[in-house]
């Protein structure tokens, strides 16, 4: 059976919110893809409702692309405690955490959900800007750590 990196993480001892490297893949042609775990909530304690998660995904897909070169994709975790982020090449955790901080600050300023029409979105009725802002506010108030096991290692936002 193939090894799934996230299944090897002890979810009972991590301390959310945090950003961590969840894997690096190199192909034989010199390409590198790095995956990050952007954990918003403590696993097995809480989960983000789908409307908020969906809205955050829309915002993060835009705002993080403006800050991170080579962003491939951002996707919600099935457990709904955060997101996975895939990028070309390797990036420092601190850079990704700071970009996430900036993106969440921008979420708080928004008045409408981007790409939330039937033409642009496969489930356009399932969004909650209010809830997305509440979860963004919660993560920002707790601070984003660059170490999943030590929440005292918070990023220093400008």
């Amino acid at each position: 059976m193939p090894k799934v990196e996230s299944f090897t993480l002890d979810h009972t001892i991590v301390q959310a919110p945090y950003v961590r490297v969840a894997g690096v893949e190199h192909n034989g042609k010199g390409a590198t893809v790095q995956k990050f775990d952007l954990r918003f909530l403590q696993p097995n304690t809480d989960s983000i409702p789908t409307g908020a998660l969906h809205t955050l995904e829309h915002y993060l897909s835009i705002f993080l692309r403006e800050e991170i070169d080579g962003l491939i994709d951002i996707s919600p975790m099935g457990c709904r405690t955060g997101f996975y982020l895939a990028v070309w090449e390797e990036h420092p955790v601190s850079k990704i955490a700071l970009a996430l901080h900036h993106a969440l600050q921008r979420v708080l300023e928004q008045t409408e959900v981007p790409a939330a029409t039937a033409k642009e979105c496969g489930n356009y009725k399932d969004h909650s800007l209010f809830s997305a802002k509440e979860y963004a506010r919660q993560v920002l108030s707790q601070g984003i750590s660059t170490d999943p096991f030590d929440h005292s290692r918070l990023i220093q936002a400008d």
Side-chain angles (χ1 to χ4, degrees), residues 88-116:
W88 291 110
E89 305 304 325
E90 294 187 54
H91 299 263
V93 173
S94 58
K95 176 183 176 182
I96 303 301
L98 187 58
L100 177 60
H101 178 89
H102 290 157
L104 292 176
Q105 285 180 316
R106 290 182 64 191
V107 169
L108 298 177
E109 303 165 358
Q110 302 308 304
T111 58
E112 62 183 57
V113 180

Side-chain angles (χ1 to χ4, degrees), residues 9 11 13-21 36-43 45-46 48 56 60 77 80-83 93 96-98 100-101 104 134-156:
L9 177 69
H11 289 73
I13 61 174
V14 296
Q15 298 175 31
Y18 63 79
V19 172
R20 75 178 182 93
V21 174
F36 289 91
D37 171 345
L38 311 180
R39 193 71 59 152
F40 283 37
L41 302 179
Q42 191 63 31
T45 302
D46 200 1
I48 304 170
L56 284 166
L60 295 177
M77 294 177 174
R80 295 180 296 138
T81 60
F83 297 85
V93 173
I96 303 301
L98 187 58
L100 177 60
H101 178 89
L104 292 176
E134 289 298 304
Y135 283 97
R137 192 173 287 113
Q138 178 180 331
V139 170
L140 290 169
S141 71
Q142 292 176 344
I144 301 168
S145 179
T146 57
D147 183 331
F149 306 106
D150 182 358
H151 203 263
S152 67
R153 298 187 59 184
L154 301 177
I155 59 146
Q156 299 302 311

